[in-house]
Amino acid sequence: MSKLFGTDGIRGVVGENLTAELAYRVGQSVTTTLSEEKGRPPLITIGMDTRISSDMLEGALIAGITSVGGDVMPLGTIPTPAVAYLTVKVGADAGVVISASHNPFEHNGIKVFNGQGYKLSDTLEDRVEEKILSNEPMPIKKGGEIGKRIHGMKNLKYEYIQHLKGTVQDDLGGLRVLIDCANGAAAATAPDLFAGLAIEADFIHRKPNGVNINLKCGSTHLKSLAAMVTAGEYDLGIAFDGDADRCLMIDEKGNVVDGDKTMAVCGKYMRDQGLLTGRAIVGTVMSNLGLHEFCNKNNIRLICTPVGDRNVLEKMLEFGYRIGGEQSGHTIFTDYATTGDGQLTALQFLQILKRSGQTASELASICPSYPQTLVNVELANQPGLKEAVMASGELAAAVAREEELLSGDGRVLVRPSGTEPLIRVMVEAKTTQQAEDCANRLTALVKTLKI
């Protein structure tokens, strides 16, 4: 069991379990491992979101990387998928992202892409982690062997913006959109991106100050965006998370277009164009029953993986599937990207919207949504506690009872968060009341379990 790396890299509260000292050690460990792997000092890109702690962690990582001979190419504030894309573009050996995605500003994280723009393999990640935790000294370099920082790389974001523009073949003029940048990394790219697409785009939450990232805004807080979309008569609202690797949308009536609906719309379009490899969409066990129903009616295979965009991508690469993602808004288009990309997702949806001649609500109506309740149960941040809760026989028996009560007209999923000290309880049912009652009973049980 990994001690540092979760499903999306290293995450923690800065100053508590994520410190500058740890970031320094991570930089050294990644660089040393890559040096052993390649037989030479590596070149590593670094990008970050807008959290107040990101500059500090970037400095520590750069110090760690250069101290053992690696060269660093800082990209500045930039979305996570841009780091993956630019790492490949410039021929770097790895890319490091400093971000905690949709989490509050007190949190931050470190994740690493390889030279092909994919997350590190489990084997390489284990080697990096082993070095971090060993507390053994790293091979510090001296003189001319010390690594260097390559300056002037922040303008590379325009290479990424041009790449995104190149994924759209149509003139999108005539569409009016309202875009929520979550006071995060999208604020550094989305205004320039949409300004070059002839779209009438307005922006909210695009003034990050270090502590307002994801604060009552972005893809995890959609109410204000929905209200403004309907009041302003926009065709679509678009919400990114802190590092812009996910995208949720709001139709012209104020309804949420989540990742499942996005995959349904894009997957059906790709099928009609003969582009849907294997006639398959890759989702996760969290995908709504409505997506299952849509796929069954449209002769599309829905392949479900464990939660996590990493698991989705692995399945896509294994069989050559071209679209996959999560209900939460991570959508992966392997024709254009090696990871989930919120801005890319928005562009693909907008192009289909323009070509269809329909409204966003009409387009998204092809995929129904069953009432779903998701409750996050907070736990003490103790090693092994999430695993102990999940192994509880009492919890397993309670889940079985609730599934029997639903009589096949819903489902229950209880799982640990991969990045936070939480147990997530998700229930789908025919009615919202059924889902909420079931989730509340299970939540109460989790809180009272004696572990």
Side-chain angles (χ1 to χ4, degrees):
M1 181 63 66
S2 185
K3 296 180 179 126
L4 286 175
F5 287 93
T7 55
D8 204 21
I10 298 170
R11 290 279 181 90
V13 176
V14 179
E16 293 181 10
N17 54 346
L18 179 55
T19 62
E21 291 80 7
L22 176 58
Y24 176 75
R25 186 79 177 173
V26 170
Q28 289 186 316
S29 301
V30 169
T31 306
T32 302
T33 301
L34 289 173
S35 295
E36 294 170 352
E37 186 87 0
K38 297 178 180 299
R40 57 171 174 77
L43 170 62
I44 300 173
T45 64
I46 295 183
M48 59 185 177
D49 70 19
T50 59
R51 290 162 213 273
I52 195 170
S53 60
S54 291
D55 288 330
M56 177 189 76
L57 294 175
E58 182 197 45
L61 280 161
I62 290 174
I65 292 166
T66 54
S67 72
V68 293
D71 291 338
V72 182
M73 186 178 286
L75 303 173
T77 300
I78 201 165
T80 287
V83 177
Y85 173 77
L86 292 172
T87 296
V88 178
K89 180 78 174 177
V90 302
D93 298 295
V96 178
V97 177
I98 304 167
S99 175
S101 188
H102 60 284
N103 290 343
F105 85 93
E106 299 93 343
H107 297 248
N108 216 325
I110 301 170
K111 62 182 172 184
V112 186
F113 292 108
N114 65 21
Q116 290 73 50
Y118 300 110
K119 292 178 183 177
L120 289 186
S121 68
D122 291 339
T123 301
L124 207 58
E125 202 171 74
D126 288 344
R127 286 174 57 190
V128 170
E129 185 169 272
E130 186 179 350
K131 282 181 167 56
I132 296 170
L133 297 174
S134 70
N135 291 321
E136 294 181 6
M138 300 287 175
I140 300 295
K141 302 298 182 181
K142 299 178 181 179
E145 292 185 340
I146 295 172
K148 61 182 178 296
R149 170 177 177 154
I150 301 172
H151 293 272
M153 294 299 106
K154 292 184 179 180
N155 283 335
L156 281 173
K157 76 174 185 179
Y158 296 107
E159 296 268 356
Y160 168 67
I161 290 171
Q162 285 303 119
H163 161 66
L164 292 180
K165 287 181 181 178
T167 69
V168 178
Q169 290 75 48
D170 295 357
D171 178 1
L172 301 181
L175 292 175
R176 293 186 67 245
V177 298
L178 181 63
I179 300 170
D180 184 344
C181 294
N183 290 317
T189 53
D192 288 322
L193 170 63
F194 284 89
L197 291 170
I199 294 176
E200 184 181 338
D202 294 321
F203 296 87
I204 57 174
H205 304 123
R206 58 172 290 193
K207 296 181 179 179
N209 61 14
V211 298
N212 62 359
I213 186 171
N214 300 316
L215 181 62
K216 297 181 180 178
C217 60
S219 62
T220 51
H221 299 85
L222 295 169
K223 285 186 178 179
S224 63
L225 178 62
M228 294 177 73
V229 166
T230 55
E233 297 183 348
Y234 288 93
D235 297 308
L236 191 70
I238 299 169
F240 303 116
D241 63 341
D243 65 337
D245 67 347
R246 72 171 73 181
C247 166
L248 294 180
M249 290 173 278
I250 299 293
D251 69 25
E252 80 287 354
K253 295 181 178 179
N255 301 312
V256 176
V257 181
D258 63 14
D260 287 344
K261 287 181 176 289
T262 299
M263 285 191 291
V265 169
C266 295
K268 182 177 182 295
Y269 177 82
M270 292 169 69
R271 185 206 65 184
D272 293 344
Q273 299 297 310
L275 301 174
L276 192 63
T277 305
R279 297 182 74 88
I281 293 172
V282 182
T284 75
V285 293
M286 289 290 286
S287 294
N288 192 277
L289 286 173
L291 182 59
H292 289 260
E293 183 178 307
F294 160 80
C295 287
N296 287 335
K297 286 183 177 179
N298 287 274
N299 193 25
I300 293 174
R301 298 163 60 215
L302 179 60
I303 298 164
C304 291
T305 73
V307 171
D309 60 331
R310 180 175 189 153
N311 297 316
V312 171
L313 181 60
E314 285 177 356
K315 183 65 68 175
M316 294 175 71
L317 295 177
E318 183 181 0
F319 293 99
Y321 300 135
R322 301 169 85 168
I323 182 171
E326 299 182 280
Q327 186 185 46
S328 59
H330 283 116
T331 308
I332 304 171
F333 296 88
T334 51
D335 286 345
Y336 305 118
T338 58
T339 188
D341 188 326
Q343 292 172 109
L344 172 63
T345 300
L347 293 184
Q348 298 310 300
F349 189 91
L350 283 167
Q351 181 165 255
I352 296 169
L353 179 64
K354 183 68 183 293
R355 288 179 176 179
S356 72
Q358 296 179 295
T359 63
S361 62
E362 290 170 339
L363 201 60
S365 68
I366 61 173
C367 182
S369 290
Y370 278 65
Q372 185 182 82
T373 297
L374 176 63
V375 181
N376 293 322
V377 187
E378 293 187 12
L379 301 178
N381 196 7
Q382 298 174 5
L385 182 56
K386 288 187 290 189
E387 292 76 15
V389 170
M390 293 305 300
S392 165
E394 187 178 354
L395 178 58
V399 170
R401 286 195 302 272
E402 295 294 345
E403 287 178 333
E404 187 175 346
L405 287 172
L406 292 172
S407 305
D409 291 324
R411 63 182 180 131
V412 176
L413 180 65
V414 179
R415 67 176 186 88
S417 167
T419 59
E420 301 172 84
L422 301 172
I423 296 293
R424 304 194 194 279
V425 178
M426 189 277 287
V427 181
E428 286 175 348
K430 274 191 169 180
T431 69
T432 300
Q433 191 64 55
Q434 281 179 302
E436 289 179 350
D437 289 347
C438 176
N440 289 338
R441 289 191 292 268
L442 290 171
T443 298
L445 173 62
V446 171
K447 289 179 178 178
T448 58
L449 283 175
K450 305 298 181 183
I451 304 298

